[in-house]
Amino acid sequence: MLSDVDLTLPAGSLVAVVGAHGSGKTTLVKLLSGFYPPTRGAVTIDGTDLQALDTHAWQQRITAAYQDFARFELSARDSVRIGDLGREPDDEAVWQALRDAEADGLVASLPEGLQTRLGRRFGGTDLSVGQWQRIALARACLRREPLLVVLDEPTASLDAVSEYAVFSRQVALARRTAAVAGA
Protein backbone atom coordinates (compact mmCIF):
# COMPACT_ATOMS: atom_id res chain seq x y z
CA MET A 1 0.00 0.00 0.00
CA LEU A 2 1.25 3.45 -0.91
CA SER A 3 0.72 6.17 1.69
CA ASP A 4 2.08 9.52 2.86
CA VAL A 5 3.80 10.34 -0.41
CA ASP A 6 4.81 13.92 -1.15
CA LEU A 7 6.79 14.03 -4.36
CA THR A 8 7.76 16.71 -6.84
CA LEU A 9 9.05 15.72 -10.25
CA PRO A 10 10.46 18.85 -11.90
CA ALA A 11 10.19 19.10 -15.68
CA GLY A 12 13.30 17.73 -17.31
CA SER A 13 14.27 15.49 -14.41
CA LEU A 14 15.17 11.82 -14.51
CA VAL A 15 13.86 9.99 -11.46
CA ALA A 16 14.33 6.38 -10.42
CA VAL A 17 11.87 4.97 -7.92
CA VAL A 18 13.47 2.14 -5.97
CA GLY A 19 11.90 0.04 -3.26
CA ALA A 20 11.11 -3.41 -2.01
CA HIS A 21 8.65 -5.68 -3.78
CA GLY A 22 5.12 -4.53 -2.92
CA SER A 23 6.20 -1.08 -1.72
CA GLY A 24 3.97 0.78 -4.18
CA LYS A 25 6.28 1.66 -7.08
CA THR A 26 3.83 0.45 -9.73
CA THR A 27 0.93 2.07 -7.84
CA LEU A 28 2.78 5.39 -7.96
CA VAL A 29 3.36 4.99 -11.70
CA LYS A 30 -0.31 4.19 -12.30
CA LEU A 31 -1.42 7.20 -10.24
CA LEU A 32 0.88 9.48 -12.27
CA SER A 33 -0.49 7.94 -15.46
CA GLY A 34 -4.09 8.65 -14.43
CA PHE A 35 -5.13 4.98 -14.44
CA TYR A 36 -6.89 5.48 -11.13
CA PRO A 37 -7.40 8.35 -8.70
CA PRO A 38 -5.76 8.61 -5.30
CA THR A 39 -7.99 7.67 -2.37
CA ARG A 40 -6.66 10.70 -0.49
CA GLY A 41 -4.79 13.78 -1.62
CA ALA A 42 -4.15 14.72 -5.21
CA VAL A 43 -1.80 14.23 -8.13
CA THR A 44 -1.13 17.60 -9.72
CA ILE A 45 0.39 18.49 -13.07
CA ASP A 46 1.82 22.02 -13.11
CA GLY A 47 -0.45 22.83 -10.16
CA THR A 48 -3.63 21.41 -11.72
CA ASP A 49 -5.27 18.38 -10.14
CA LEU A 50 -5.00 15.46 -12.56
CA GLN A 51 -8.68 14.71 -11.88
CA ALA A 52 -9.57 18.10 -13.40
CA LEU A 53 -7.71 17.32 -16.61
CA ASP A 54 -9.04 15.28 -19.52
CA THR A 55 -7.61 11.86 -18.63
CA HIS A 56 -7.51 10.75 -22.27
CA ALA A 57 -5.65 13.91 -23.31
CA TRP A 58 -3.12 13.40 -20.47
CA GLN A 59 -2.58 9.78 -21.43
CA GLN A 60 -1.95 10.86 -25.03
CA ARG A 61 1.01 12.89 -23.74
CA ILE A 62 2.66 10.07 -21.79
CA THR A 63 4.38 6.93 -22.90
CA ALA A 64 5.21 3.85 -20.92
CA ALA A 65 6.73 0.40 -20.93
CA TYR A 66 5.37 -1.65 -18.05
CA GLN A 67 6.73 -4.80 -16.46
CA ASP A 68 3.53 -6.62 -17.44
CA PHE A 69 3.83 -5.81 -21.16
CA ALA A 70 1.45 -7.08 -23.83
CA ARG A 71 2.41 -9.46 -26.63
CA PHE A 72 0.44 -8.29 -29.65
CA GLU A 73 0.48 -11.10 -32.19
CA LEU A 74 0.44 -8.77 -35.16
CA SER A 75 3.12 -7.89 -37.66
CA ALA A 76 6.27 -6.49 -36.05
CA ARG A 77 5.34 -3.14 -37.62
CA ASP A 78 1.85 -3.08 -36.12
CA SER A 79 3.03 -4.38 -32.76
CA VAL A 80 5.21 -1.26 -32.49
CA ARG A 81 2.74 1.14 -34.18
CA ILE A 82 0.15 0.38 -31.51
CA GLY A 83 2.31 2.61 -29.27
CA ASP A 84 0.88 5.73 -30.93
CA LEU A 85 -2.38 5.01 -32.73
CA GLY A 86 -2.87 8.69 -33.57
CA ARG A 87 0.26 8.69 -35.68
CA GLU A 88 0.09 8.06 -39.40
CA PRO A 89 1.75 4.81 -40.53
CA ASP A 90 5.42 5.59 -41.03
CA ASP A 91 8.05 2.85 -41.31
CA GLU A 92 10.91 5.27 -40.59
CA ALA A 93 9.29 6.21 -37.25
CA VAL A 94 8.85 2.50 -36.45
CA TRP A 95 12.51 1.82 -37.29
CA GLN A 96 13.59 4.79 -35.13
CA ALA A 97 11.54 3.43 -32.21
CA LEU A 98 13.13 0.02 -32.73
CA ARG A 99 16.61 1.61 -32.73
CA ASP A 100 15.73 3.55 -29.55
CA ALA A 101 14.72 0.27 -27.90
CA GLU A 102 17.81 -1.53 -29.15
CA ALA A 103 15.44 -3.83 -31.10
CA ASP A 104 16.22 -2.94 -34.71
CA GLY A 105 18.62 -5.88 -35.09
CA LEU A 106 15.95 -8.24 -33.80
CA VAL A 107 13.38 -7.09 -36.37
CA ALA A 108 15.95 -6.97 -39.17
CA SER A 109 16.70 -10.65 -38.46
CA LEU A 110 13.05 -11.73 -38.70
CA PRO A 111 12.07 -13.67 -41.87
CA GLU A 112 10.03 -10.79 -43.31
CA GLY A 113 11.38 -7.89 -41.26
CA LEU A 114 8.60 -5.48 -40.25
CA GLN A 115 6.01 -7.63 -42.04
CA THR A 116 6.77 -10.72 -39.94
CA ARG A 117 3.78 -11.84 -37.91
CA LEU A 118 4.81 -12.24 -34.29
CA GLY A 119 3.67 -15.11 -32.06
CA ARG A 120 2.69 -18.69 -32.82
CA ARG A 121 -1.07 -18.39 -32.33
CA PHE A 122 -1.64 -17.38 -35.95
CA GLY A 123 1.38 -19.13 -37.47
CA GLY A 124 3.89 -16.36 -36.86
CA THR A 125 7.39 -16.26 -35.48
CA ASP A 126 7.67 -16.78 -31.75
CA LEU A 127 9.96 -14.55 -29.73
CA SER A 128 11.73 -15.04 -26.43
CA VAL A 129 10.42 -13.12 -23.42
CA GLY A 130 13.32 -10.68 -23.73
CA GLN A 131 12.59 -10.11 -27.43
CA TRP A 132 8.92 -9.46 -26.69
CA GLN A 133 10.03 -6.99 -24.02
CA ARG A 134 12.18 -5.14 -26.56
CA ILE A 135 9.16 -4.85 -28.90
CA ALA A 136 7.11 -3.47 -25.97
CA LEU A 137 9.84 -0.92 -25.24
CA ALA A 138 9.87 0.08 -28.93
CA ARG A 139 6.13 0.77 -28.63
CA ALA A 140 6.90 3.18 -25.80
CA CYS A 141 9.65 4.81 -27.88
CA LEU A 142 7.31 5.51 -30.81
CA ARG A 143 5.54 8.47 -29.20
CA ARG A 144 7.59 11.62 -29.83
CA GLU A 145 7.88 14.39 -27.25
CA PRO A 146 5.85 12.88 -24.41
CA LEU A 147 5.46 14.92 -21.23
CA LEU A 148 5.98 11.86 -19.03
CA VAL A 149 8.00 8.74 -19.81
CA VAL A 150 7.36 5.79 -17.50
CA LEU A 151 9.62 2.77 -17.58
CA ASP A 152 8.38 0.20 -15.06
CA GLU A 153 11.03 -2.55 -15.09
CA PRO A 154 11.27 -2.49 -18.92
CA THR A 155 14.34 -4.72 -18.96
CA ALA A 156 13.37 -7.38 -16.42
CA SER A 157 13.73 -10.12 -19.05
CA LEU A 158 17.01 -8.95 -20.54
CA ASP A 159 20.56 -9.99 -19.72
CA ALA A 160 22.82 -7.51 -17.86
CA VAL A 161 24.72 -6.31 -20.95
CA SER A 162 21.49 -5.70 -22.90
CA GLU A 163 19.92 -4.03 -19.88
CA TYR A 164 22.84 -1.61 -19.59
CA ALA A 165 22.64 -0.74 -23.31
CA VAL A 166 18.87 -0.17 -23.14
CA PHE A 167 19.10 2.02 -20.02
CA SER A 168 21.99 4.05 -21.44
CA ARG A 169 19.95 4.68 -24.59
CA GLN A 170 16.82 5.54 -22.59
CA VAL A 171 18.69 8.05 -20.41
CA ALA A 172 19.99 9.79 -23.53
CA LEU A 173 16.49 9.81 -25.05
CA ALA A 174 14.98 11.16 -21.84
CA ARG A 175 17.48 14.00 -21.73
CA ARG A 176 16.77 14.85 -25.39
CA THR A 177 13.01 14.74 -24.80
CA ALA A 178 13.36 16.88 -21.67
CA ALA A 179 15.26 19.52 -23.64
CA VAL A 180 12.65 19.57 -26.42
CA ALA A 181 9.35 19.06 -24.58
CA GLY A 182 10.16 19.76 -20.93
CA ALA A 183 9.20 16.18 -20.14
Side-chain angles (χ1 to χ4, degrees), residues 8-147:
T8 300
L9 301 174
S13 64
L14 253 111
V15 178
V17 179
V18 180
H21 180 74
S23 63
K25 301 178 299 292
T26 298
T27 299
L28 177 63
V29 164
K30 290 183 178 181
L31 286 166
L32 289 171
S33 300
F35 289 135
Y36 46 79
T39 54
R40 288 191 335 225
V43 174
T44 60
I45 310 299
D46 290 335
T48 302
D49 190 328
L50 183 57
Q51 297 303 298
L53 297 175
D54 177 340
T55 303
H56 180 71
W58 171 245
Q59 290 170 345
Q60 291 297 309
R61 296 302 315 269
I62 66 175
T63 192
Y66 295 103
Q67 61 182 318
D68 53 351
F69 58 89
R71 298 177 189 197
F72 295 106
E73 295 196 12
L74 305 167
S75 68
R77 172 188 294 109
D78 289 342
S79 191
V80 172
R81 278 197 56 241
I82 249 173
D84 192 354
L85 292 173
R87 182 183 209 133
E88 288 296 317
D90 176 358
D91 281 358
E92 182 48 42
V94 170
W95 279 112
Q96 184 60 53
L98 289 163
R99 284 189 293 276
D100 291 343
E102 304 277 327
D104 54 323
L106 161 66
V107 172
S109 73
L110 294 173
E112 297 176 66
L114 284 177
Q115 295 175 342
T116 303
R117 177 176 291 280
L118 303 180
R120 289 188 178 159
R121 184 172 300 153
F122 303 107
T125 299
D126 201 17
L127 302 177
S128 71
V129 175
Q131 290 171 323
W132 277 113
Q133 193 163 36
R134 284 181 186 268
I135 296 294
L137 184 57
R139 266 195 300 280
C141 292
L142 185 64
R143 184 161 287 163
R144 296 332 256 176
E145 299 182 13
L147 294 176

